[in-house]
Amino acid sequence: MLRIFFFAVCFMASAIGTVCGIGGGVLIKPVLDAFHVMDVATVSFLSGCTVLAMAFYSVSKSAVEKESRVDRRIGFPLAVGAAAGGLMGKWLFSHVSSFFSSADKVGAVQAVCLLIVTMGTLVYTIYKKHIATNHIKNPAACCLIGLGLGVLSSFLGIGGGPVNLIVLSFFFSMTAKAAAENSLYVIFYSQAASLLSSVVAGSIPEFEISMLMLMAAGGIAGGINGRFWHKKITDQIVDRLFMALMIIIILINVYNVFVFIKL
Protein backbone atom coordinates (compact mmCIF):
# COMPACT_ATOMS: atom_id res chain seq x y z
CA MET A 1 0.00 0.00 0.00
CA LEU A 2 2.86 2.38 0.84
CA ARG A 3 4.35 1.98 -2.64
CA ILE A 4 0.99 2.64 -4.27
CA PHE A 5 0.68 5.79 -2.15
CA PHE A 6 4.15 7.00 -3.22
CA PHE A 7 3.38 6.37 -6.88
CA ALA A 8 0.02 8.15 -6.63
CA VAL A 9 1.55 11.21 -4.93
CA CYS A 10 4.31 11.48 -7.54
CA PHE A 11 1.87 10.97 -10.41
CA MET A 12 -0.64 13.58 -9.25
CA ALA A 13 1.99 16.10 -8.20
CA SER A 14 3.91 15.75 -11.48
CA ALA A 15 0.76 15.96 -13.60
CA ILE A 16 -0.31 19.19 -11.89
CA GLY A 17 3.30 20.37 -11.81
CA THR A 18 3.67 19.92 -15.57
CA VAL A 19 0.48 21.85 -16.27
CA CYS A 20 1.50 24.73 -13.99
CA GLY A 21 5.26 24.50 -14.48
CA ILE A 22 6.06 24.09 -10.79
CA GLY A 23 7.78 20.73 -11.16
CA GLY A 24 5.76 18.65 -8.70
CA GLY A 25 8.34 18.66 -5.92
CA VAL A 26 6.55 21.51 -4.18
CA LEU A 27 3.73 19.00 -3.56
CA ILE A 28 5.71 15.77 -3.22
CA LYS A 29 8.06 17.10 -0.53
CA PRO A 30 5.49 18.53 1.94
CA VAL A 31 3.01 15.66 1.43
CA LEU A 32 5.61 12.97 2.17
CA ASP A 33 6.98 15.05 5.06
CA ALA A 34 3.46 15.21 6.51
CA PHE A 35 3.24 11.40 6.65
CA HIS A 36 6.76 10.99 8.16
CA VAL A 37 7.51 7.86 6.16
CA MET A 38 11.15 8.92 5.62
CA ASP A 39 13.60 11.42 7.08
CA VAL A 40 13.67 14.89 5.50
CA ALA A 41 17.01 14.38 3.71
CA THR A 42 15.78 11.22 1.97
CA VAL A 43 12.48 12.85 1.02
CA SER A 44 14.36 15.87 -0.40
CA PHE A 45 16.63 13.64 -2.47
CA LEU A 46 13.91 11.36 -3.84
CA SER A 47 11.62 14.31 -4.52
CA GLY A 48 14.40 16.01 -6.48
CA CYS A 49 15.08 12.85 -8.50
CA THR A 50 11.39 12.46 -9.31
CA VAL A 51 11.18 16.07 -10.49
CA LEU A 52 14.34 15.61 -12.56
CA ALA A 53 12.84 12.57 -14.32
CA MET A 54 9.60 14.43 -15.05
CA ALA A 55 11.38 17.60 -16.21
CA PHE A 56 13.72 15.58 -18.47
CA TYR A 57 10.76 13.92 -20.14
CA SER A 58 8.81 17.15 -20.60
CA VAL A 59 11.77 19.20 -21.91
CA SER A 60 13.03 16.51 -24.27
CA LYS A 61 9.50 15.75 -25.55
CA SER A 62 8.89 19.43 -26.34
CA ALA A 63 12.24 19.64 -28.13
CA VAL A 64 11.61 16.51 -30.21
CA GLU A 65 8.12 17.63 -31.22
CA LYS A 66 9.40 21.20 -31.81
CA GLU A 67 6.66 22.62 -29.60
CA SER A 68 8.92 24.27 -27.05
CA ARG A 69 8.15 27.82 -25.94
CA VAL A 70 11.55 28.18 -24.31
CA ASP A 71 13.39 31.30 -25.45
CA ARG A 72 16.99 30.04 -25.40
CA ARG A 73 18.39 33.59 -25.23
CA ILE A 74 16.75 33.87 -21.82
CA GLY A 75 16.34 30.22 -20.88
CA PHE A 76 19.96 29.13 -21.34
CA PRO A 77 21.60 31.72 -19.01
CA LEU A 78 18.75 31.11 -16.55
CA ALA A 79 19.50 27.37 -16.69
CA VAL A 80 23.25 27.93 -16.24
CA GLY A 81 22.58 30.09 -13.18
CA ALA A 82 20.08 27.52 -11.87
CA ALA A 83 22.65 24.74 -12.23
CA ALA A 84 25.17 26.73 -10.16
CA GLY A 85 22.41 27.57 -7.71
CA GLY A 86 21.52 23.90 -7.42
CA LEU A 87 25.06 23.19 -6.19
CA MET A 88 24.94 26.10 -3.74
CA GLY A 89 21.51 25.04 -2.46
CA LYS A 90 22.81 21.55 -1.78
CA TRP A 91 25.71 23.00 0.21
CA LEU A 92 23.34 25.32 2.10
CA PHE A 93 21.11 22.38 3.07
CA SER A 94 24.10 20.47 4.46
CA HIS A 95 25.33 23.57 6.28
CA VAL A 96 21.94 24.27 7.89
CA SER A 97 21.56 20.59 8.81
CA SER A 98 24.83 20.71 10.75
CA PHE A 99 23.34 23.26 13.15
CA PHE A 100 20.57 20.91 14.30
CA SER A 101 20.84 17.63 16.15
CA SER A 102 17.46 16.49 14.83
CA ALA A 103 16.51 16.11 11.18
CA ASP A 104 12.97 17.11 12.14
CA LYS A 105 14.18 20.60 13.00
CA VAL A 106 15.67 20.88 9.52
CA GLY A 107 12.29 19.84 8.16
CA ALA A 108 10.69 22.64 10.18
CA VAL A 109 13.09 25.18 8.65
CA GLN A 110 12.28 23.93 5.16
CA ALA A 111 8.54 24.00 5.88
CA VAL A 112 8.68 27.58 7.19
CA CYS A 113 10.69 28.76 4.16
CA LEU A 114 8.33 27.01 1.75
CA LEU A 115 5.32 28.46 3.59
CA ILE A 116 6.68 32.01 3.24
CA VAL A 117 7.55 31.51 -0.44
CA THR A 118 4.14 30.01 -1.22
CA MET A 119 2.20 32.76 0.58
CA GLY A 120 4.19 35.44 -1.25
CA THR A 121 3.56 33.66 -4.53
CA LEU A 122 -0.19 33.50 -3.90
CA VAL A 123 -0.37 37.21 -3.06
CA TYR A 124 1.57 38.09 -6.22
CA THR A 125 -0.67 35.88 -8.38
CA ILE A 126 -3.82 37.51 -7.00
CA TYR A 127 -2.57 41.04 -7.71
CA LYS A 128 -0.36 40.42 -10.74
CA LYS A 129 -2.72 42.24 -13.10
CA HIS A 130 -1.87 45.43 -11.23
CA ILE A 131 1.90 44.81 -11.15
CA ALA A 132 4.13 46.14 -13.91
CA THR A 133 6.44 43.48 -15.34
CA ASN A 134 9.84 43.69 -17.02
CA HIS A 135 11.51 42.37 -20.18
CA ILE A 136 15.02 41.50 -19.00
CA LYS A 137 17.30 40.16 -21.74
CA ASN A 138 20.77 40.76 -20.32
CA PRO A 139 22.47 37.32 -20.05
CA ALA A 140 24.33 38.20 -16.83
CA ALA A 141 21.10 39.33 -15.15
CA CYS A 142 19.34 36.16 -16.34
CA CYS A 143 22.16 34.08 -14.90
CA LEU A 144 21.89 35.78 -11.50
CA ILE A 145 18.11 35.29 -11.43
CA GLY A 146 18.61 31.62 -12.31
CA LEU A 147 21.18 31.34 -9.51
CA GLY A 148 18.61 32.49 -6.96
CA LEU A 149 16.01 30.05 -8.28
CA GLY A 150 18.49 27.18 -8.19
CA VAL A 151 19.54 27.85 -4.60
CA LEU A 152 15.96 28.04 -3.37
CA SER A 153 14.71 24.95 -5.20
CA SER A 154 17.69 22.79 -4.22
CA PHE A 155 17.67 23.86 -0.57
CA LEU A 156 13.94 23.22 -0.20
CA GLY A 157 14.08 19.97 -2.20
CA ILE A 158 11.13 21.02 -4.33
CA GLY A 159 12.72 21.07 -7.81
CA GLY A 160 11.42 24.45 -8.86
CA GLY A 161 8.24 25.37 -7.18
CA PRO A 162 5.81 28.25 -7.60
CA VAL A 163 8.47 30.93 -7.23
CA ASN A 164 9.74 30.06 -10.73
CA LEU A 165 6.49 31.15 -12.32
CA ILE A 166 6.40 34.41 -10.42
CA VAL A 167 9.99 35.24 -11.31
CA LEU A 168 9.45 34.41 -14.98
CA SER A 169 6.27 36.49 -15.02
CA PHE A 170 7.74 39.52 -13.23
CA PHE A 171 11.18 39.71 -14.80
CA PHE A 172 10.36 38.43 -18.30
CA SER A 173 6.63 39.19 -18.78
CA MET A 174 5.84 35.58 -19.71
CA THR A 175 2.29 34.26 -19.94
CA ALA A 176 1.26 31.44 -17.60
CA LYS A 177 1.79 28.66 -20.16
CA ALA A 178 5.08 30.06 -21.49
CA ALA A 179 6.35 30.47 -17.91
CA ALA A 180 5.36 26.86 -17.18
CA GLU A 181 7.52 25.50 -20.01
CA ASN A 182 10.47 27.75 -19.24
CA SER A 183 10.19 26.81 -15.57
CA LEU A 184 10.52 23.10 -16.35
CA TYR A 185 13.57 23.88 -18.52
CA VAL A 186 15.25 25.67 -15.60
CA ILE A 187 14.18 22.96 -13.14
CA PHE A 188 15.86 20.28 -15.24
CA TYR A 189 19.25 21.98 -15.06
CA SER A 190 19.08 22.87 -11.36
CA GLN A 191 18.03 19.36 -10.34
CA ALA A 192 20.62 17.71 -12.58
CA ALA A 193 23.34 19.81 -10.94
CA SER A 194 21.98 19.02 -7.47
CA LEU A 195 21.96 15.27 -8.17
CA LEU A 196 25.49 15.40 -9.61
CA SER A 197 26.65 17.22 -6.49
CA SER A 198 25.21 14.51 -4.25
CA VAL A 199 26.89 11.76 -6.30
CA VAL A 200 30.30 13.48 -6.30
CA ALA A 201 30.12 14.33 -2.58
CA GLY A 202 28.89 10.85 -1.68
CA SER A 203 26.01 12.37 0.27
CA ILE A 204 23.23 10.23 -1.19
CA PRO A 205 20.95 9.04 1.65
CA GLU A 206 20.03 5.39 2.05
CA PHE A 207 16.87 4.23 0.32
CA GLU A 208 15.48 1.31 -1.67
CA ILE A 209 16.30 1.57 -5.39
CA SER A 210 12.86 0.16 -6.19
CA MET A 211 11.31 3.13 -4.36
CA LEU A 212 13.29 5.61 -6.46
CA MET A 213 12.30 3.81 -9.67
CA LEU A 214 8.65 3.77 -8.62
CA MET A 215 8.65 7.48 -7.80
CA ALA A 216 10.47 8.36 -11.03
CA ALA A 217 7.95 6.28 -12.99
CA GLY A 218 5.13 8.16 -11.27
CA GLY A 219 6.82 11.45 -12.14
CA ILE A 220 7.21 10.56 -15.81
CA ALA A 221 3.65 9.20 -16.05
CA GLY A 222 2.41 12.40 -14.44
CA GLY A 223 4.47 14.42 -16.90
CA ILE A 224 2.84 12.62 -19.82
CA ASN A 225 -0.62 13.28 -18.41
CA GLY A 226 0.24 16.89 -17.57
CA ARG A 227 1.54 17.62 -21.08
CA PHE A 228 -1.77 16.42 -22.51
CA TRP A 229 -3.80 18.78 -20.33
CA HIS A 230 -1.33 21.64 -20.73
CA LYS A 231 -2.17 21.73 -24.44
CA LYS A 232 -5.91 21.67 -23.81
CA ILE A 233 -6.41 24.40 -21.22
CA THR A 234 -6.10 28.18 -21.34
CA ASP A 235 -3.79 30.53 -19.45
CA GLN A 236 -6.73 31.58 -17.26
CA ILE A 237 -7.37 27.99 -16.16
CA VAL A 238 -3.65 27.51 -15.47
CA ASP A 239 -3.75 30.58 -13.20
CA ARG A 240 -6.80 29.30 -11.30
CA LEU A 241 -5.31 25.83 -10.86
CA PHE A 242 -2.07 27.42 -9.70
CA MET A 243 -3.81 29.53 -7.03
CA ALA A 244 -5.83 26.57 -5.76
CA LEU A 245 -2.63 24.58 -5.52
CA MET A 246 -0.92 27.35 -3.55
CA ILE A 247 -3.70 27.30 -0.94
CA ILE A 248 -3.35 23.52 -0.56
CA ILE A 249 0.44 23.77 -0.20
CA ILE A 250 0.11 26.55 2.40
CA LEU A 251 -2.23 24.40 4.52
CA ILE A 252 0.07 21.36 4.28
CA ASN A 253 3.10 23.41 5.29
CA VAL A 254 1.32 25.01 8.25
CA TYR A 255 0.57 21.47 9.45
CA ASN A 256 4.19 20.37 8.85
CA VAL A 257 5.64 23.32 10.76
CA PHE A 258 3.63 22.50 13.89
CA VAL A 259 4.34 18.77 13.63
CA PHE A 260 8.10 19.17 13.09
CA ILE A 261 8.41 21.64 15.97
CA LYS A 262 6.68 19.21 18.35
CA LEU A 263 8.90 16.26 17.35
Side-chain angles (χ1 to χ4, degrees):
M1 286 299 293
L2 182 62
R3 293 180 183 275
I4 295 175
F5 171 72
F6 270 63
F7 180 86
V9 169
C10 292
F11 175 82
M12 293 299 296
S14 297
I16 297 172
T18 301
V19 172
C20 296
I22 59 175
V26 71
L27 263 177
I28 296 172
K29 175 71 167 63
V31 168
L32 295 186
D33 277 345
F35 283 87
H36 297 282
V37 290
M38 295 178 181
D39 63 79
V40 293
T42 303
V43 170
S44 292
F45 180 81
L46 293 178
S47 173
C49 289
T50 303
V51 172
L52 176 61
M54 181 274 287
F56 174 75
Y57 167 78
S58 297
V59 170
S60 58
K61 186 70 172 177
S62 294
V64 169
E65 295 181 353
K66 297 181 179 180
E67 296 177 343
S68 178
R69 300 188 187 195
V70 176
D71 183 346
R72 298 301 172 88
R73 294 171 299 178
I74 295 173
F76 183 71
L78 270 174
V80 170
L87 299 177
M88 292 179 64
K90 203 72 176 178
W91 172 84
L92 182 62
F93 178 80
S94 299
H95 189 65
V96 171
S97 298
S98 67
F99 283 102
F100 299 95
S101 58
S102 170
D104 292 321
K105 297 300 182 287
V106 181
V109 172
Q110 286 182 309
V112 168
C113 291
L114 185 53
L115 177 61
I116 293 171
V117 168
T118 307
M119 291 178 68
T121 300
L122 179 61
V123 171
Y124 177 90
T125 304
I126 294 172
Y127 293 101
K128 72 176 185 177
K129 291 182 179 180
H130 307 289
I131 299 174
T133 57
N134 302 278
H135 294 80
I136 292 177
K137 295 182 180 180
N138 182 278
C142 292
C143 193
L144 284 174
I145 293 170
L147 181 71
L149 291 176
V151 169
L152 189 63
S153 64
S154 181
F155 172 73
L156 296 179
I158 59 174
V163 69
N164 281 23
L165 298 187
I166 299 309
V167 167
L168 292 171
S169 170
F170 179 74
F171 287 106
F172 306 103
S173 298
M174 292 186 186
T175 63
K177 295 180 75 170
E181 290 195 32
N182 280 270
S183 174
L184 292 176
Y185 181 76
V186 172
I187 286 170
F188 169 71
Y189 280 91
S190 66
Q191 287 305 115
S194 179
L195 175 61
L196 181 61
S197 173
S198 295
V199 172
V200 172
S203 59
I204 298 176
E206 292 186 8
F207 58 87
E208 294 182 22
I209 296 297
S210 59
M211 186 64 76
L212 172 60
M213 295 177 64
L214 186 71
M215 291 177 68
I220 293 173
I224 294 172
N225 185 271
R227 275 182 56 80
F228 171 80
W229 288 107
H230 183 78
K231 296 176 182 179
K232 300 290 184 181
I233 63 178
T234 64
D235 282 312
Q236 290 74 21
I237 294 178
V238 171
D239 277 338
R240 290 172 187 171
L241 178 61
F242 179 70
M243 286 191 285
L245 191 59
M246 291 305 96
I247 294 172
I248 293 172
I249 294 170
I250 287 171
L251 294 175
I252 294 173
N253 277 287
V254 168
Y255 170 80
N256 283 343
V257 169
F258 282 106
V259 171
F260 277 128
I261 290 176
K262 289 181 180 180
L263 292 177

